[in-house]
Amino acid sequence: MARHIRFDASDSGGKDSPSGYEDRESGEVTVHETPGADTDDMAQLQHLSEGIIDLDEFEGLFRTFDHSAWRLESRRRFASDEATDTYRQFVKTGTVDWDGEDPYCELIRSQTAQGKRVERVRIVDQPPTTGQLYLLNNAKRNSGLGEDIRNLWRADAERLRLPSEDFWLFDSRIAAKLRFDDEDNFVDVELISASAEMARYSAIREAAWHHALSFEEFAVRLSDSG
């Protein structure tokens, strides 16, 4: 069988999942299972519309965006990260031996190699939580895939009136708002495409991106302040 891709909530790793494509005229996103050697394995197509989508449908967006995937990451912790061996390694040693060849890495590397942009701003508390420090360490690996990762102090985010949301913005046309339960477990995704909301999310992106620091500079300042 062919290997598929799965993202966790913070994208600090990868597993298996379906892929998809987008109809350029209608704007509909179609998600399907990647076929194996036997073309009869192709699953029935499922079309997405604005509203709640599941993880498999969400993952297809990372294969089909045209030019940019941008994220605001505002959470203090991700339960999915804390369940990983890499998180336990970080807590024990302060560093991680990251796998740069897993399916997530392969997908993002292939997208950025085509000139597509994958960017994010992570909001960080002062002092940072363990989960935020773990992701700052992870940024070294993801930047090697072609991602541009920046950080912003939460006090600055509040001064800029950035929302406490966690979302991806694809091609400035589709927003995928990640939803979590009270225990910080990733639940599902709200897909948003209304033009007024797209204008709001684009304004959030511009403000956050303008004031955020590269993760390298942020790490230096964090070290100096410690």
Side-chain angles (χ1 to χ4, degrees), residues 85-98 134 137:
D85 290 338
T86 53
Y87 188 89
R88 288 186 285 272
Q89 181 184 11
F90 179 77
V91 171
K92 183 177 180 179
T93 68
T95 188
V96 176
D97 296 323
W98 294 103
Y134 168 76
N137 187 280

Side-chain angles (χ1 to χ4, degrees), residues 118-189:
V118 180
E119 304 165 334
R120 70 179 84 206
V121 170
R122 285 174 168 151
I123 296 175
V124 181
D125 291 278
Q126 196 168 20
T129 66
T130 302
Q132 290 165 350
L133 291 173
Y134 168 76
L135 291 175
L136 187 60
N137 187 280
N138 172 259
K140 293 182 291 185
R141 182 199 71 166
N142 282 23
S143 67
L145 310 177
E147 288 195 31
D148 189 344
I149 302 175
R150 304 185 184 185
N151 292 82
L152 183 67
W153 290 116
R154 190 172 301 277
D156 293 327
E158 292 173 351
R159 176 176 56 82
L160 294 168
R161 299 183 180 179
L162 299 183
S164 297
E165 295 182 40
D166 198 311
F167 67 88
W168 281 95
L169 185 60
F170 296 95
D171 296 330
S172 301
R173 296 193 301 112
I174 301 172
K177 182 178 178 180
L178 280 62
R179 307 200 312 170
F180 298 80
D181 64 19
D182 292 339
E183 301 300 320
D184 298 305
N185 295 296
F186 181 41
V187 176
D188 57 25
V189 177

Side-chain angles (χ1 to χ4, degrees), residues 2 6 28 92 94 141 195 219 224:
R6 177 174 296 278
E28 279 192 306
K92 183 177 180 179
R141 182 199 71 166
S195 54
D224 289 344

